[in-house]
Amino acid sequence: MRHCRYGLRLTLVLGAGMVLGACTGSGWTDRERMIISLSDSVMFVTTLPQDSVQLRTPSIDVGPRELQSDELKTLMAKMLRTVTDPSQDGVGIAAPQVGINRRIIWVQRLDKEDEPFECYVNIHIDSLYGGTRRGPEGCLSVPGYRGMVTRSNNVIISYSDLESGNTVKEEIEGYTAVIFQHECDHLDGILYVDRADTVYINQAWMEELKQFDYTRPDWW
Ligand code: ZN
């Protein structure tokens, strides 16, 4: 998900993940090992339309034996460098956006002090609730566009603890919950433009920003 540069955190980028044998996960493929080891610390970001196959392919879990692998550690570090690079300025990124169809995302926890980026492996959204909110989103994989998307206010996520392998559940609310929904959509091959009721290109987006009421208490 991309940061908005108007003093506002309009971010969007995300994904959602799907299964395909994802219950048990599997080991790294030769192709995945090559992408992880050979890519620069700031990875190539897949974009529409040229990388549509990669972006539309559902992602699978990381296997239990790979949770502490060097490949996962390297991939996580490079994804973080990529989403925080000034050229991207994102608040979230999903593994398919760097060419890896695994259920791995980084999310900037805007709901926590100091707003740290945190990584979630084998993440799934268990439930959506608490009503909905409509707001602008953008995506590192759909450069130059923004769109208005309706999302749930609250999510319950589950993911793998990297040390124990145990499943951890967590409840997220507010705008950070929107980031999780956007990123987890990526893991299911879904892009925000699929959900947007309106999509804008640059100038049109600027006009929309002027009209959007960011003072609404339900926005953040
Ligand atoms: Zn995105």
Side-chain angles (χ1 to χ4, degrees):
M1 195 140 122
R2 188 182 294 279
H3 251 305
C4 179
R5 295 181 182 279
Y6 307 103
L8 300 164
R9 281 196 171 100
L10 311 181
T11 295
L12 299 195
V13 172
L14 325 186
M18 214 343 312
V19 190
L20 271 188
C23 294
T24 57
S26 60
W28 302 108
T29 65
D30 290 343
R31 177 180 178 278
E32 289 172 331
R33 292 178 192 276
M34 185 171 65
I35 292 173
I36 294 168
S37 63
L38 297 183
S39 63
D40 294 333
S41 57
V42 175
M43 304 178 80
F44 174 82
V45 175
T46 55
T47 58
L48 290 182
Q50 58 269 34
D51 301 310
S52 58
V53 172
Q54 185 85 53
L55 289 166
R56 294 304 189 177
T57 299
S59 293
I60 63 174
D61 279 354
V62 175
R65 283 180 294 186
E66 284 68 42
L67 289 179
Q68 297 185 36
S69 65
D70 290 340
E71 288 90 345
L72 179 59
K73 293 173 183 172
T74 301
L75 175 59
M76 289 169 58
K78 290 184 175 181
M79 286 176 64
L80 178 60
R81 285 288 303 276
T82 303
V83 70
T84 57
D85 187 77
S87 67
Q88 299 296 344
D89 195 25
V91 292
I93 192 170
Q97 295 181 278
V98 295
I100 303 290
N101 285 110
R102 298 285 185 158
R103 300 193 68 89
I104 305 167
I105 65 172
W106 278 93
V107 170
Q108 186 171 15
R109 293 298 302 261
L110 301 175
D111 55 336
K112 293 186 176 181
E113 186 176 359
D114 296 331
E115 302 181 344
F117 276 86
E118 294 184 353
C119 190
Y120 300 85
V121 177
N122 296 342
I123 183 167
H124 296 264
I125 289 181
D126 294 343
S127 63
L128 302 167
Y129 63 100
T132 60
R133 59 204 287 133
R134 179 176 180 265
E137 297 190 17
C139 182
L140 307 182
S141 294
V142 192
Y145 292 84
R146 293 287 187 278
M148 300 300 291
V149 186
T150 298
R151 302 281 193 184
S152 295
N153 284 313
N154 298 68
V155 300
I156 294 178
I157 59 170
S158 61
Y159 58 93
S160 294
D161 178 85
L162 299 185
E163 294 298 322
S164 66
N166 293 336
T167 298
V168 179
K169 289 185 178 294
E170 184 175 349
E171 181 178 351
I172 316 287
E173 64 180 14
Y175 184 63
T176 304
V178 172
I179 304 175
F180 273 94
Q181 290 168 75
H182 178 121
E183 301 306 334
C184 286
D185 265 351
H186 274 298
L187 305 180
D188 292 328
I190 298 169
L191 298 171
Y192 85 87
V193 291
D194 302 333
R195 299 190 185 280
D197 56 67
T198 312
V199 176
Y200 305 89
I201 57 175
N202 301 323
Q203 190 55 45
W205 173 246
M206 293 294 292
E207 293 302 314
E208 174 70 11
L209 274 180
K210 294 176 184 176
Q211 301 172 26
F212 198 82
D213 181 10
Y214 293 103
T215 63
R216 291 186 312 172
D218 63 340
W219 170 243
W220 299 109

